[in-house]
Amino acid sequence: NSITDDYVFTADNFIKMILIILRLRSNIPVIMMGETGCGKTSLIRMISVLKDMKLKVFNIHAGVNDKSILSFMEDVVKSANEISSNICVFFDEINTCYSMSLISEIMCKRTYYSKSIPNSISFIAACNPYRTLKTEYTNNGLINKIKLIHKRVNLAYSVHPLPHSLLNFVFDFGNLNFNDEIKYIKSMIYQPIDEMFQYNDR
């Protein structure tokens, strides 16, 4: 199928697709937690193509605030009222900003500042794990492992902990195994090379 030519299908991400689609059918929000580069975003894009859903992506970062999220939601709701197809809203990297309470209201209560959200809109989000790193340093020839806690937390990612209201919807995306990682790397390398040769043949 030409739709899925550039996507690496594995048994693992196929099962994840099915589980996510089942949750979306029940209008249950999905929050995928996994390491950077494990395929969260590409999987959601593929689901939207296969299910013929209109995908609205909001890439969240530390500079995002309530105002920008509200503006985005106004546009999404307006689109939902104008078209007949379902819309899937994808909040990427939700725990990098300080607007977690608003995102929680949108995904859990399906409201934003008391405005209701149409049932034709479903929500998926992605986030990185909130975890600390073990740092190694040399002191007088000895290697000591330390955990930086309290005022000096050394996080693997620059993220905030998820509120309890969202924890119930977390879907552990996990990590890629070695064989799947090789397939992903080959796909990322071969695709631009193929496109380059196709362009030169014109």
Side-chain angles (χ1 to χ4, degrees):
N1 191 324
S2 60
I3 295 176
T4 60
D5 276 348
D6 298 329
Y7 186 75
V8 179
F9 265 106
T10 65
D12 180 63
N13 61 28
F14 182 72
I15 292 172
K16 287 172 180 174
M17 280 186 180
I18 293 174
L19 294 175
I20 290 172
I21 289 171
L22 288 174
R23 295 187 185 195
L24 292 178
R25 283 182 179 176
S26 303
N27 229 347
I28 298 173
V30 179
I31 301 173
M32 299 182 301
M33 180 178 288
E35 305 291 338
T36 297
C38 66
K40 302 186 296 291
T41 302
S42 58
L43 183 138
I44 295 306
R45 292 187 184 278
M46 183 52 58
I47 288 177
S48 70
V49 171
L50 295 176
K51 295 295 292 178
D52 195 25
M53 295 188 302
K54 189 173 181 63
L55 185 65
K56 295 279 191 178
V57 180
F58 193 101
N59 294 307
I60 296 176
H61 51 80
V64 167
N65 53 29
D66 286 7
K67 183 178 179 180
S68 55
I69 295 175
L70 290 172
S71 177
F72 170 78
M73 285 305 304
E74 288 286 353
D75 291 339
V76 171
V77 171
K78 182 180 179 181
S79 297
N81 292 330
E82 292 175 351
I83 63 176
S84 56
S85 62
N86 293 331
I87 295 177
C88 181
V89 171
F90 179 42
F91 290 119
D92 201 6
E93 309 294 355
I94 59 169
N95 55 345
T96 57
C97 71
Y98 290 95
S99 297
M100 296 301 301
S101 58
L102 175 58
I103 294 173
S104 177
E105 179 189 347
I106 290 170
M107 297 190 71
C108 299
K109 297 182 179 179
R110 299 188 61 82
T111 62
Y112 58 104
Y113 282 18
S114 300
K115 294 182 180 179
S116 60
I117 297 172
N119 290 328
S120 58
I121 300 175
S122 54
F123 293 99
I124 304 178
C127 66
N128 287 322
Y130 183 86
R131 61 180 176 81
T132 58
L133 284 175
K134 289 182 178 179
T135 304
E136 292 187 356
Y137 68 96
T138 302
N139 184 17
N140 296 327
L142 298 176
I143 302 297
N144 300 302
K145 290 186 177 181
I146 60 170
K147 290 182 179 180
L148 302 180
I149 57 174
H150 301 303
K151 294 183 179 179
R152 299 180 60 205
V153 176
N154 186 23
L155 296 176
Y157 301 96
S158 298
V159 296
H160 309 287
L162 291 176
H164 291 290
S165 55
L166 292 178
L167 289 176
N168 293 325
F169 305 108
V170 169
F171 182 92
D172 187 3
F173 204 83
N175 298 311
L176 294 174
N177 62 44
F178 179 77
N179 292 330
D180 289 346
E181 188 172 0
I182 294 298
K183 292 178 182 177
Y184 273 68
I185 293 172
K186 286 181 178 179
S187 175
M188 288 187 286
I189 294 173
Y190 293 157
Q191 182 181 348
I193 293 175
D194 289 342
E195 290 176 353
M196 180 180 66
F197 279 108
Q198 291 174 7
Y199 179 80
N200 292 334
D201 289 340
R202 293 177 184 175

